Amino acid sequence: IFNFILNAGGNARLGIIDAPPFEFEGVREILVASYEHEQFVTQSIYDLSNAASAAGVLKTVEFLKWFVNEQVEEEDGSSTNIGRYDILGKDSAGLYTLDRDMGLRTYTKAVYLTDLEGTIG
């Protein structure tokens, strides 16, 4: 997003981000906090997209579509993790399986047309 703003001729500023909580009563509480955070991120992206649309800045609306779609997957994954924990978390082998499966997730970088032209790093 930072590179997009700069490449689009804008000025990007980074503000202070509060440290996330680090004390939890258990694994389920962590999973619920993760899901709630994904919902917060989704709403933030919706707010950006709606503001760009209202302002008629179509290149930003188009740029944000990938993030909108990605959040569907992120919220689903977070919700699924809570459900899987509710089923498997009471059993140590089940908890190990859940932990292993979550560790297998990989990050796939979004590819934009500007990436192909070499204008975004």
Side-chain angles (χ1 to χ4, degrees):
I1 292 175
F2 189 87
N3 285 337
F4 173 80
I5 293 169
L6 294 176
N7 289 335
N11 295 310
R13 291 185 299 168
L14 299 177
I16 295 172
I17 299 173
D18 293 335
F22 58 90
E23 291 185 19
F24 297 93
E25 292 183 22
V27 173
R28 190 174 198 287
E29 186 181 358
I30 294 169
L31 296 174
V32 169
S34 175
Y35 177 61
E36 290 171 350
H37 182 71
E38 290 299 345
Q39 291 177 312
F40 169 78
V41 170
T42 298
Q43 188 58 54
S44 297
I45 293 167
Y46 288 173
D47 291 346
L48 288 171
S49 186
N50 289 335
S53 182
V57 186
L58 298 181
K59 62 185 170 186
T60 302
V61 172
E62 288 300 312
F63 173 76
L64 291 171
K65 282 183 180 180
W66 181 87
F67 294 94
V68 169
N69 293 329
E70 178 65 15
Q71 280 309 113
V72 171
E73 179 183 331
E74 294 303 320
E75 282 193 31
D76 179 60
S78 293
S79 175
T80 297
N81 287 338
I82 294 169
R84 290 185 69 207
Y85 178 80
D86 287 345
I87 294 168
L88 302 171
K90 307 293 186 261
D91 173 65
S92 60
L95 189 56
Y96 173 80
T97 300
L98 180 61
D99 182 62
R100 184 198 64 214
D101 291 352
M102 290 174 71
L104 294 175
R105 285 193 59 185
T106 58
Y107 170 74
T108 304
K109 182 180 184 265
V111 176
Y112 303 99
L113 292 178
T114 51
D115 286 336
L116 301 175
E117 297 168 5
T119 59
I120 292 182

